Amino acid sequence: MPAITRDKLIETLESIALLLELKGENPFKTRAYTNAARTIEVFSGDFLAVARAGELESIDGIGKAIATKLTELVTTGTLPYFEKLRAEFPPTIFELFGIPGLGPKKIKAVWEQLGVSDLMALEEAAKDGRIAALPGFGEKTATNLIAAIDQRKKHSGYFLLGDAAPIAETILEDLKALPDVSQASVAGSYRRRKEVLHDLDLIVAGKNPAEVIWYFTHHAQVETIIAQGPTKASVRFASGLQCDLRVVTNEEYPFALNYFTGSKEHNVIMRSRALDRGWTLNEYRLGPVEARATGRNAEVETPEDIPKIYQESDLYRALGLDYVEPELREGRGEIAAAEAGTLPRLIELENLRGTFHNHTTASDGRSSLSEMADAAMEIGLEYLGIADHSKSSVQAYGLTEEKLLAQVEEIRNLNATYKGFQLLAGTECDILKDGSLDFSDEILSQLDYVVASVHSSFTQSEADMTKRLIRAMENPHVTMLGHLTGRVLLSREAYAVDIPAVIEAAAATGTIIELNASPYRLDMDWRWWQLAREKGVRCAINPDAHHASSLQHLWFGVALARKGWLEKNDVVNCLPLEKIQMELRRKR
């Protein structure tokens, strides 16, 4: 059974809330479970230790009944109340949650009135007219559900980098701690920092492969063992994510790490360069061409003219190349740059001095202004921009002009109490359908900066959406463009927009483009940043944080900025406090 973790507690409480809502229970009871999940999410101490000590009632937001259930779950690993509640519904009912346009009330309707309890049945009912005939649904709802199910199918078996990261890093650290392991790394698309992954690849060098394999297959995160051999194993975690492990010798490690990091396009060029030198390169060695077909375990005498390879950088050097960082290995010109000595010196997380796109409880955030500031100072930032939603974002409790200016005053007052740190007053201002902004220039002029974003009318044509964004960027008060394409990874496709035209307009108007670091967005896509960099467009790495803990998402932003070939000088939030305010006013 997987170990009980904080995430498991949150997941259980959220599932209980969904099922209670499905039953039509008292909304206050349902909300109590949701609030308890949020309390665990933001709790700064060791929640599991508090639960084991039977002291959960001392935490605000955890009532007596829920505290008892959580303690039972933590100490026994099971919660009969949840199992009994779940048994009242078909086991597939959770497939329906998370489909856009299908909340608990509608799920209840299709289940009770149509007997629909899984995605296949939902799709059939949407296509044969039964969904459209239900009160409160209609043809448009049915059409939207079909599109949403198609989207879900398209992304089946794929996982967000943000969801894979905690699993990957936990497994990696645990393997590194084994006495027989000398080297270990996560390879594959995770090491290349792809925004969406299919699986994880682990490469380990160790003396005792059998012990490493046993530990890996019996790890607390593992739900199913798919395959197991003397030096390889494949498992599946509770999330459905597959992970493959290979145990190699120290001599084989740099070759295996390089090969299984990929990409395929990068590997093909590497092997071709080896052949040009009369060598063969595979996942286990660099050797003479005649040894190509001898296999992994064959004794191969390596000629003296083939360099000794102790680490990956040696391999690149042997092939006449500068070392290529894993993020760049996509077959997009990195080999030519490595040969010419023109690879970028990629940005590092520690280069960031601050960030701009962050929300508070004033709109749809879950941390106060002072809590956000404290969290920013704790991770070493010199400044933090606050960009709560503007008034048109009703669903996100957008601020009116009066509330925004009151927040600006609160920020100024707080800044008088800080030393070596400042809050910056901004807004995430909606770009309206015609490209105008949600606040007047008079209001915007009183802010330190403005993030302009689209939150509505996603179905405009590419031409209209492009004009909309460009018109917004032409406003001198718009400092940066937020989440350029509006995509939500594995959930919502990007709206139609001519990205090169937007980049050209950003260059012409001096507008910064955001790299939204939320692992659900990672927008603008990394594939466009080389073009932006060539045009002189600056980047702002922003977490779009709705809670103090989400400032940690800057890690994902930096990872994708590196993948986009960005250096420190390409990213405005690498500027120190004394220079950033001048930079933010450059357009005005």
Side-chain angles (χ1 to χ4, degrees):
M1 180 189 68
I4 297 298
T5 63
R6 180 188 291 231
D7 288 343
K8 182 65 176 178
L9 296 180
I10 294 170
E11 179 189 338
T12 301
L13 290 173
E14 290 175 339
S15 296
I16 290 173
L18 288 173
L19 293 176
L20 289 176
E21 191 168 357
L22 202 55
K23 284 185 68 173
E25 285 278 1
N26 185 317
F28 292 103
K29 183 177 180 180
T30 301
R31 197 173 302 129
Y33 283 93
T34 303
N35 291 342
R38 298 290 77 76
T39 297
I40 298 174
E41 192 175 58
V42 304
F43 187 71
S44 58
D46 187 339
F47 190 88
L48 295 175
V50 176
R52 293 188 191 99
E55 298 174 354
L56 289 180
E57 287 183 68
S58 64
I59 300 175
D60 290 339
I62 306 289
K64 182 178 180 180
I66 293 178
T68 300
K69 291 181 176 67
L70 288 172
T71 301
E72 183 177 10
L73 180 55
V74 169
T75 55
T76 68
T78 61
L79 183 58
Y81 171 78
F82 177 45
E83 299 304 326
K84 183 179 178 182
L85 181 63
R86 191 161 56 178
E88 296 180 32
F89 302 89
T92 55
I93 198 77
F94 281 103
E95 291 181 13
L96 305 184
F97 289 99
I99 297 291
L102 200 65
K105 289 182 180 178
K106 286 190 173 180
I107 292 175
K108 181 179 173 67
V110 299
W111 175 48
E112 291 183 343
Q113 298 179 47
L114 301 178
V116 167
S117 62
D118 60 47
L119 278 181
M120 184 180 295
L122 180 67
E123 184 177 26
E124 289 176 1
K127 288 180 175 178
D128 66 19
R130 285 177 292 150
I131 290 287
L134 286 177
F137 284 74
E139 289 290 347
K140 186 176 181 180
T141 298
T143 301
N144 290 342
L145 287 177
I146 292 168
I149 293 167
D150 286 343
Q151 184 80 353
R152 175 74 66 87
K153 287 179 182 177
K154 177 181 175 182
H155 297 305
S156 177
Y158 288 89
F159 301 84
L160 298 181
L161 174 65
D163 291 336
I167 300 172
E169 297 300 328
T170 297
I171 295 280
L172 180 61
E173 289 307 308
D174 290 346
L175 286 170
K176 283 182 174 179
L178 295 177
D180 288 330
V181 170
S182 53
Q183 300 180 80
S185 179
V186 186
S189 51
Y190 178 83
R191 190 172 181 232
R192 301 200 317 275
R193 302 301 189 236
K194 291 291 289 290
E195 65 273 40
V196 173
L197 318 173
H198 184 62
D199 54 19
L200 291 175
D201 294 281
L202 285 163
I203 308 298
V204 169
K207 298 177 184 176
N208 193 336
E211 289 293 326
V212 176
I213 294 291
W214 186 93
Y215 178 84
F216 172 68
T217 56
H218 289 78
H219 194 278
Q221 298 268 12
V222 171
E223 184 173 79
T224 306
I225 300 172
I226 300 171
Q228 183 174 347
T231 60
K232 300 178 184 179
S234 295
V235 301
R236 184 168 284 111
F237 303 123
S239 64
L241 180 63
Q242 181 175 324
C243 184
D244 301 327
L245 170 71
R246 289 172 176 82
V247 184
V248 297
T249 65
N250 277 305
E251 292 74 22
E252 294 167 335
Y253 183 77
F255 304 105
L257 180 59
N258 186 260
Y259 178 85
F260 289 107
T261 293
S263 64
K264 179 181 177 181
E265 294 79 5
H266 184 85
N267 287 353
V268 166
I269 302 173
M270 292 285 282
R271 290 197 298 271
S272 176
R273 290 184 72 88
L275 285 171
D276 289 344
R277 286 159 173 76
W279 308 331
T280 182
L281 173 64
N282 61 29
E283 60 265 47
Y284 302 115
R285 64 170 62 85
L286 182 68
V289 170
E290 58 268 22
R292 187 185 310 175
T294 58
R296 174 182 180 182
N297 298 317
E299 291 294 328
V300 177
E301 185 175 340
T302 302
E304 291 183 4
D305 66 329
I306 298 182
K308 294 289 185 184
I309 306 298
Y310 300 101
Q311 53 192 7
E312 269 194 310
S313 57
D314 297 330
L315 176 58
Y316 283 93
R317 192 177 303 112
L319 298 179
L321 302 169
D322 288 344
Y323 177 69
V324 179
E325 296 287 354
E327 296 93 333
L328 303 185
R329 301 178 195 175
E330 296 290 348
R332 294 170 59 90
E334 71 277 6
I335 296 291
E339 185 173 40
T342 58
L343 284 170
R345 185 174 181 178
L346 299 179
I347 184 175
E348 303 281 353
L349 181 61
E350 50 267 30
N351 295 148
L352 294 186
R353 302 293 190 92
T355 190
F356 309 102
H357 184 170
N358 305 284
H359 300 274
T360 73
T361 50
S363 63
D364 63 344
R366 301 197 305 276
S367 297
S368 67
L369 199 55
S370 59
E371 287 171 337
M372 293 294 288
D374 289 344
M377 286 185 277
E378 188 174 336
I379 62 174
L381 298 184
E382 296 177 14
Y383 50 89
L384 181 75
I386 301 300
D388 276 311
H389 289 282
S390 61
K391 61 180 185 289
S392 286
S393 286
V394 178
Q395 75 288 349
Y397 311 105
L399 277 62
T400 62
E401 286 86 347
E402 293 77 17
K403 287 183 177 180
L404 176 59
L405 295 180
Q407 185 184 68
V408 172
E409 182 66 22
E410 185 182 359
I411 286 172
R412 305 296 185 232
N413 292 335
L414 274 172
N415 279 339
T417 69
Y418 297 136
K419 186 176 181 180
F421 175 83
Q422 276 207 319
L423 288 168
L424 301 174
T427 179
E428 185 182 14
C429 187
D430 270 28
I431 302 173
L432 304 180
K433 190 173 182 178
D434 64 354
S436 61
L437 300 175
D438 203 18
F439 287 134
S440 68
D441 287 355
E442 180 186 356
I443 294 294
L444 299 179
S445 67
Q446 300 178 59
L447 305 175
D448 294 320
Y449 68 98
V450 174
V451 181
S453 305
V454 169
H455 291 106
S456 62
S457 301
F458 294 150
T459 58
Q460 285 183 298
S461 69
E462 179 180 292
D464 287 342
M465 183 63 79
T466 304
K467 288 177 186 176
R468 178 181 180 182
L469 294 179
I470 291 174
R471 182 184 174 192
M473 288 190 292
E474 288 170 346
N475 185 304
H477 299 291
V478 171
T479 320
M480 62 190 73
L481 193 61
H483 43 72
L484 188 154
T485 71
R487 74 180 186 184
V488 179
L489 293 167
L490 302 186
S491 178
R492 184 175 72 205
E493 295 288 350
Y495 43 67
V497 60
D498 184 343
I499 295 177
V502 172
I503 290 173
E504 288 282 0
T509 59
T511 305
I512 299 162
I513 294 181
E514 170 185 85
L515 197 169
N516 189 294
S518 165
Y520 301 102
R521 290 187 182 271
L522 298 175
D523 187 14
M524 187 171 72
D525 188 282
W526 61 269
R527 296 162 183 83
W528 292 107
W529 283 109
Q530 278 178 277
L531 175 62
R533 185 173 180 240
E534 290 168 9
K535 299 293 183 180
V537 175
R538 307 291 295 281
C539 169
I541 299 176
N542 292 326
D544 199 352
H546 287 70
H547 183 267
S549 63
S550 297
L551 292 177
Q552 300 295 336
H553 289 163
L554 287 168
W555 183 89
F556 297 106
V558 170
L560 272 294
R562 288 170 62 86
K563 194 161 190 63
W565 294 57
L566 297 187
E567 299 183 341
K568 174 182 175 181
N569 291 338
D570 300 317
V571 179
V572 294
N573 36 332
C574 291
L575 290 171
L577 178 59
E578 62 268 19
K579 293 184 178 180
I580 192 60
Q581 288 177 317
M582 184 183 301
E583 179 66 27
L584 295 177
R585 293 194 185 100
R586 187 181 294 275
K587 257 185 85 172
R588 297 187 181 183

